[in-house]
Amino acid sequence: MESSMCILILCLSAITPAIRARVVPVPPLLQNYEKPSSNVIFDNSMYGLLQLNNGLARTPPMGWNSWNFFACDISETVIKETADALVATGLADLGYVYLNIDDCWSASERNSQDELVPDPKTFPSGIKALADYVHEKGLKLGIYSDAGRFTCQVRPGSIYHENVDAKLFASWGVDFLKYDNCYNLGINPKERYPPMRNALNATGRTIFYSICEWGVDDPALWAGELGNSWRTTDDINDSWASMTMIADLNDKWAAYAGPGGWNDPDMLEVGNGGMTYQEYRAHFSIWALMKAPLLIGCDVRSMTAETLEIVTNKEVIAVNQDPLGVQGRKVYVSGTDDCLQVWAGPLTGHRIAVVLWNRCSKAASITAAWGALGLESSTSVSVRDLWKHEDVLTDAVASFRARMDAHSCEMYIFTPQTVSHSEV
């Protein structure tokens, strides 16, 4: 496919003096990915060369992490029961295969061989036996450590122990390492994170390397050469304010993500009780569009029907897992404090994923104009609603408009009905 560099065409509808609307600026474009139309506005041109060289994360990882619901109240029983639940609910079949143990799994001190030791009270069978159990279910086991003297819960960290710890993780059959940033001795993260990358490579086992630096030193600028994902923000909490702020912070780094390495705005809070159904649906939609890791953070052993409905939406998951791998982003805003928003990103097959997100306190209508999506105004588009699971229009032209409640969103796939000769 022949591509050409394009710039964003501003296409603003009439506005009143009281309401400001704008197309969000987008950087210059990458030439070597499939165009959804004659104008492409989405960009991963800053994505770095993956130095981890482990072949993982061609699409964002999916799974579960213990921290958001359990914090330190974890045990091998909880992990085994969670593995059982991932399979029984069908989540594993949908791609949620990483079962990640966060902080507090280890004893408070290393053993006489200077090795990490699982807490004998909560993980008496050891991590190797747990990994075997998880693997028998067709899942993958993740573990946690820290690029500092201690973990955030003051268990032994891995700084200066990278080689011995990586070998130990590999011997246990670990598939994923979340590597945190506490008690870091004031050492630059660009110095602290590469040793573990090298140590993981040296084990010969493919282990997903998740850099959890909290976005302090803008890891999107350098972590693409180190890991499979990198945290772009501080920890999320189970609130609308936290979720929306983190979405905005992660959006800044859209151009730096791509197959092999992803921006990480932290784990999902869906199902933990702090937001409404509509807010959780928006949370899941935006995380999927942003190509964020989809790591469930609730207790999957006791999910409500609403929670299960959200996290098992195959059409939304397919957006996240689309092999084109370009992170969607905020492309148009209007309303008070920019609370009426259009987010969008390209997919394979010349399609565009579009989220209309009402972050205002009242119900409102949002219009996605073709110019903000990189489409020529004359292009005819079919529109599929991913939450209703139905085609809502077959011939939309110039713009698409929908009304939604406060703090809710709608998610669509737009498929242009014709492709110009220059794109074939």
Side-chain angles (χ1 to χ4, degrees):
M1 179 184 301
E2 181 179 351
S3 300
S4 61
M5 296 293 285
C6 306
I7 61 173
L8 178 64
I9 299 176
L10 299 180
C11 184
L12 301 178
S13 55
I15 57 175
T16 68
I19 299 179
R20 175 174 57 91
R22 61 187 173 88
V23 173
V24 179
V26 178
L29 306 175
L30 186 66
Q31 297 187 44
N32 64 352
Y33 67 84
E34 186 175 351
K35 300 194 300 180
S37 69
S38 59
N39 293 306
V40 184
I41 62 170
F42 308 100
D43 175 27
N44 66 349
S45 62
M46 304 305 294
Y47 175 62
L49 296 174
L50 184 66
Q51 299 290 318
L52 187 56
N53 195 30
N54 62 6
L56 297 176
R58 305 315 296 171
T59 59
M62 296 174 60
W64 175 88
N65 180 284
S66 61
W67 185 258
N68 283 356
F69 184 84
F70 290 97
C72 277
D73 191 20
I74 53 172
S75 67
E76 63 182 49
T77 299
V78 166
I79 302 305
K80 286 182 177 180
E81 290 178 354
T82 299
D84 296 343
L86 287 172
V87 174
T89 58
L91 288 167
D93 289 338
L94 294 175
Y96 293 97
V97 295
Y98 284 105
L99 200 163
N100 297 339
I101 310 169
D102 211 280
D103 205 348
C104 302
W105 65 267
S106 71
S108 58
E109 295 182 357
R110 292 175 178 266
N111 65 15
S112 58
Q113 287 78 47
D114 210 22
E115 295 174 330
L116 294 170
V117 179
D119 188 318
K121 293 182 180 179
T122 51
F123 291 87
S125 302
I127 302 301
K128 175 64 167 65
L130 189 56
D132 290 344
Y133 184 91
V134 167
H135 291 156
E136 288 173 2
K137 299 282 182 179
L139 305 172
K140 300 178 183 294
L141 186 73
I143 205 85
Y144 166 98
S145 192
D146 193 285
R149 177 69 180 86
F150 301 103
T151 71
C152 297
Q153 299 300 312
V154 202
R155 312 294 171 102
S158 288
I159 194 168
Y160 307 132
H161 293 82
E162 292 88 355
N163 288 325
V164 65
D165 290 356
K167 289 178 182 177
L168 188 63
F169 298 152
S171 73
W172 288 342
V174 164
D175 304 293
F176 186 112
L177 173 64
K178 176 182 174 181
Y179 205 42
D180 219 335
N181 194 39
C182 287
Y183 299 97
N184 56 42
L185 307 177
I187 301 171
N188 190 301
K190 298 175 190 177
E191 299 176 24
R192 287 183 292 109
Y193 282 92
M196 184 57 83
R197 173 201 64 187
N198 298 338
L200 292 172
N201 275 346
T203 68
R205 182 173 179 82
T206 53
I207 299 176
F208 188 107
Y209 188 29
S210 173
I211 292 172
C212 186
E213 187 263 359
W214 317 325
V216 174
D217 201 40
D218 296 339
L221 299 176
W222 47 268
E225 299 180 346
L226 303 181
N228 296 118
S229 67
W230 44 89
R231 277 278 295 281
T232 54
T233 70
D234 203 349
D235 290 357
I236 194 171
N237 64 57
D238 187 18
S239 71
W240 170 258
S242 173
M243 183 270 288
T244 53
M245 177 186 68
I246 281 178
D248 291 339
L249 290 172
N250 190 64
D251 179 56
K252 174 181 177 180
W253 305 108
Y256 294 81
W262 307 99
N263 292 315
D264 178 7
D266 206 5
M267 301 164 289
L268 294 167
E269 291 282 6
V270 179
N272 280 330
M275 287 183 261
T276 67
Y277 167 77
Q278 292 290 353
E279 290 169 345
Y280 279 140
R281 204 176 78 164
H283 178 18
F284 192 72
S285 299
I286 292 294
W287 260 236
L289 182 79
M290 292 194 301
K291 301 297 188 293
L294 296 182
L295 298 176
I296 297 170
C298 67
D299 186 354
V300 297
R301 303 171 304 173
S302 58
M303 287 184 294
T304 65
E306 285 187 344
T307 296
L308 191 62
E309 176 199 347
I310 291 171
V311 299
T312 60
N313 186 319
K314 294 180 181 180
E315 296 191 72
V316 176
I317 291 171
V319 170
N320 181 258
Q321 296 293 298
D322 186 83
L324 186 61
V326 179
Q327 178 176 325
R329 59 182 299 155
K330 188 188 307 181
V331 298
Y332 183 83
V333 296
S334 63
T336 303
D337 297 325
D338 295 339
C339 63
L340 302 176
Q341 302 186 352
V342 178
W343 294 60
L347 304 172
T348 52
H350 303 282
R351 300 168 301 147
I352 306 171
V354 179
V355 174
L356 306 184
W357 194 8
N358 179 9
R359 287 165 53 165
C360 304
S361 58
K362 297 180 180 179
S365 295
I366 301 176
T367 299
W370 274 202
L373 303 178
L375 292 167
E376 294 180 349
S377 61
S378 60
T379 303
S380 177
V381 170
S382 67
V383 179
R384 181 166 180 82
D385 188 313
L386 303 192
W387 286 105
K388 293 187 173 106
H389 303 294
E390 63 183 29
D391 297 324
V392 294
L393 279 175
T394 59
D395 56 354
V397 177
S399 67
F400 177 81
R401 184 176 179 87
R403 186 170 180 82
M404 62 214 66
D405 293 333
H407 290 197
S408 68
C409 81
E410 298 296 343
M411 189 170 191
Y412 307 95
I413 287 181
F414 287 10
T415 304
Q417 299 304 292
T418 57
V419 179
S420 68
H421 293 297
S422 64
E423 296 177 278
V424 178

